[in-house]
Amino acid sequence: MAEATQKQPNPTASRPVRCIVKLGGAAITNKGELESIGVENLRSACAQLRQAMSHSGATEKVAGMDWSRRPGDPTDPVVDAEGLSEMEGLGLDTNFVVVHGAGSFGHFQASRSGVHKGGLQSTLVKAGFVATRISVTSLNQEIVRALAREGIPSVGMSPFACGWSTKQRNLESANASQIIQSLHVGFVPVLHGDAVLDELLDCTILSGDVIIRHLAQLLNPKYVVFLTDVHGVYDRPPSDPNAVLLREIEVDDTGSWSIVKPALKGSNKGVEISVAAHDTTGGMETKILEAAAIARLGVDVYITKVGTEHSLRALQGDTSSEDWLGTVIRSSK
Amino acid sequence: MAEATQKQPNPTASRPVRCIVKLGGAAITNKGELESIGVENLRSACAQLRQAMSHSGATEKVAGMDWSRRPGDPTDPVVDAEGLSEMEGLGLDTNFVVVHGAGSFGHFQASRSGVHKGGLQSTLVKAGFVATRISVTSLNQEIVRALAREGIPSVGMSPFACGWSTKQRNLESANASQIIQSLHVGFVPVLHGDAVLDELLDCTILSGDVIIRHLAQLLNPKYVVFLTDVHGVYDRPPSDPNAVLLREIEVDDTGSWSIVKPALKGSNKGVEISVAAHDTTGGMETKILEAAAIARLGVDVYITKVGTEHSLRALQGDTSSEDWLGTVIRSSK
């Protein structure tokens, strides 16, 4: 890991990455229904991403980049080739990376087969690996298309196909040179949690959160945004009426964290922190740990609810005002 | 290129690749209709591939590996997890690589925008690059699913995502280590013609035929099969009633080729060789040149019509009998 990190070129010299965005599985899919996209949330997230990328903030002409047929669409897509060739650039700061979770895609296939446990000599695991990748890459395709319809030049990149692999579930090989090349020429890479090969277990699941941490380390973005289906991190399950939204968490050098805002009564040691009720990989503990690991790098992490004014402000990197609703996780230094 | 070839591990030491299969765009899509799959041809190609992979030749239990919803399917997929976990392996020699063309996918998007000419500073080209990749990866997804339904453990691998790139349209970087790893653990990599980055032109189209030649060089398969929509290579357009199917072509060390069977009257210099009328990249000349380049490596190339008894025999590597219909291209040595 550390070696892989060092070997790769540093893209920040030429064009610093502004933001890595996690589209949480719970935020963009309908958790109760197999392979069902949360169409409105996904559309909103893509439109807000475009707004955050926009130089002027004004609504420019959208250069639609999904020229494929839609299911049930009787006519071929219309492409304004002349109009596009006359546009002087997109007017967008495209220096973003998108990573998404699986939600109701992939989880069913992975859990039925136990892909995360490994063991490819088992026919069930081998079949489940194939089935899981089919499901998560379907979702990736839909997200790339939704971004492209908003005029965001997005390119899907599957971690498995990129050659990313793990060793005992820890990221072992994760060359990002193609991601960096793509950013350099103005594309927005779209990665996802994936089934990958594991040096010891044969195979496992690599979560989107682990991918984000690795990319944050490599690309040193200005900030990282997690879009989820609740307003942020709570002191107990958000369904609990007494749940308190934690507004600011600080992480020190050792990885220990403390709640800065709000001031909670008593010790925070016993706080049952909760981000999203429905996580397909790792759950809330992993998510907090990954977010804390990113904050330790000196990169602010904003966790907030998809499809709200707060998510737009997070994507714009502006969470300083008092009325912003979400959780900021940052380094105490 | 040569350097990249040398650097990569030689997989033939442990498990020789049996066959690289090209599913031609014209063979598996409906050329007249935008983004329309030739469902019956694709299904037949996948079933024949399974038969060719089968150790016993008999029909074993098919371990279906597409556990995703089908459009219009009201019910969730049924997965026989218990049955699968009891299976002792797949009973298949999965040491195959599949590469497919674009056909009615990608061609529209690429030609509307001129992606093959490069120039990413143009908004039209940038949008076309994104649109082309969306279209060809949609087709890749459908082919992976069709293979998975036949119990073939297929994994989609996009050349762009794999970091493959060109320089002035010649393959420049094409690391195959993930393909080799995947073969090693029993997966069937499924690649495709793709929009890629180009060191001099910014971007271009990398055709499936060029991918095949590179993989043949790296993996040294026993044979390569091109499945297309006509019986093989003809001496003139196959639509011409006087067209003669060329049964055997020999390629010498210099790359010159001569027709061994049938014995044609006069010189073959003027022969207007034709493979498939509808090629999205390169056309017939490129195809013959790529096939000849593979044959020069000492790897036999079989070109034949999809969905026939001849395609099954080609996939099984058995084209020796007189009644096999197709074109064999081999080295004269």
Side-chain angles (χ1 to χ4, degrees), chain B residues 186-213:
Chain B
F187 290 124
V188 176
V190 185
L191 288 87
H192 58 88
D194 203 1
V196 296
L197 300 184
D198 185 286
E199 207 177 296
L200 292 177
L201 308 169
D202 292 352
C203 66
T204 193
I205 298 291
L206 175 66
S207 79
D209 292 335
V210 173
I211 294 168
I212 294 242
R213 173 163 55 86

Side-chain angles (χ1 to χ4, degrees), chain B residues 54-304:
Chain B
S54 172
H55 289 310
S56 62
T59 316
E60 297 100 352
K61 184 181 166 185
V62 174
M65 298 181 184
D66 178 6
W67 304 350
S68 283
R69 288 173 72 167
R70 307 288 306 158
D73 198 340
T75 56
D76 288 353
V78 176
V79 179
D80 176 17
E82 206 174 318
L84 283 169
S85 64
E86 282 168 3
M87 278 175 77
E88 288 182 13
L90 295 170
L92 300 177
D93 168 12
T94 52
N95 229 348
F96 282 64
V97 177
V98 175
V99 180
H100 62 83
S104 62
F105 289 74
H107 182 55
F108 163 74
Q109 291 84 358
S111 62
R112 282 293 271 163
S113 56
V115 171
H116 62 287
K117 294 185 217 152
L120 281 173
Q121 76 286 355
S122 151
T123 302
L124 177 61
V125 173
K126 185 166 273 176
F129 188 99
V130 169
T132 301
R133 292 208 73 245
I134 286 171
S135 188
V136 292
T137 55
S138 296
L139 176 59
N140 184 252
Q141 181 79 2
E142 288 307 315
I143 291 174
V144 167
R145 291 185 70 171
L147 289 163
R149 285 197 291 277
E150 290 290 337
I152 297 171
S154 52
V155 285
M157 299 180 82
S158 255
F160 169 82
C162 293
W164 288 28
S165 63
T166 55
K167 185 174 180 177
Q168 196 80 40
R169 299 200 181 95
N170 292 310
L171 204 48
E172 175 72 6
S173 166
N175 188 307
S177 52
Q178 183 67 357
I179 294 169
I180 292 167
Q181 287 290 327
S182 300
L183 284 166
H184 185 67
V185 294
F187 290 124
V188 176
V190 185
L191 288 87
H192 58 88
D194 203 1
V196 296
L197 300 184
D198 185 286
E199 207 177 296
L200 292 177
L201 308 169
D202 292 352
C203 66
T204 193
I205 298 291
L206 175 66
S207 79
D209 292 335
V210 173
I211 294 168
I212 294 242
R213 173 163 55 86
H214 179 63
L215 290 181
Q217 200 173 350
L218 278 179
L219 305 176
N220 192 30
K222 291 187 189 159
Y223 50 96
V224 166
V225 176
F226 285 79
L227 297 184
T228 181
D229 63 343
V230 289
H231 280 293
V233 181
Y234 288 82
D235 65 340
R236 68 200 78 183
S239 54
D240 185 327
N242 294 319
V244 175
L245 178 66
L246 308 179
R247 311 293 287 258
E248 198 174 330
I249 296 174
E250 272 187 6
V251 182
D252 71 16
D253 272 353
T254 68
S256 301
W257 49 268
S258 54
I259 297 158
V260 177
K261 268 202 281 186
L264 294 180
K265 287 174 233 160
S267 159
N268 62 38
K269 292 274 181 194
V271 164
E272 190 191 335
I273 277 193
S274 183
V275 179
H278 303 270
D279 242 332
T280 52
T281 42
M284 51 200 167
E285 271 181 53
T286 312
K287 199 176 290 286
I288 291 287
L289 284 174
E290 295 297 339
I294 295 166
R296 274 176 75 189
L297 301 168
V299 177
D300 286 0
V301 177
Y302 310 137
I303 303 179
T304 190

Side-chain angles (χ1 to χ4, degrees), chain A residues 18-21 45 47-59 92-93 96 222-227 300 302 304 308-321 324:
Chain A
R18 197 164 128 207
C19 173
I20 302 176
V21 186
Q48 290 190 346
L49 255 167
R50 180 188 168 81
Q51 234 177 307
M53 287 176 181
S54 172
H55 290 310
S56 61
T59 316
L92 300 177
D93 168 13
F96 282 64
K222 291 187 189 160
Y223 51 96
V224 167
V225 176
F226 284 80
L227 296 184
D300 287 0
Y302 310 137
T304 189
T308 62
E309 59 172 303
H310 311 290
S311 54
L312 175 60
R313 280 149 72 182
L315 291 169
Q316 289 170 327
D318 175 23
T319 61
S320 54
S321 74
W324 182 75

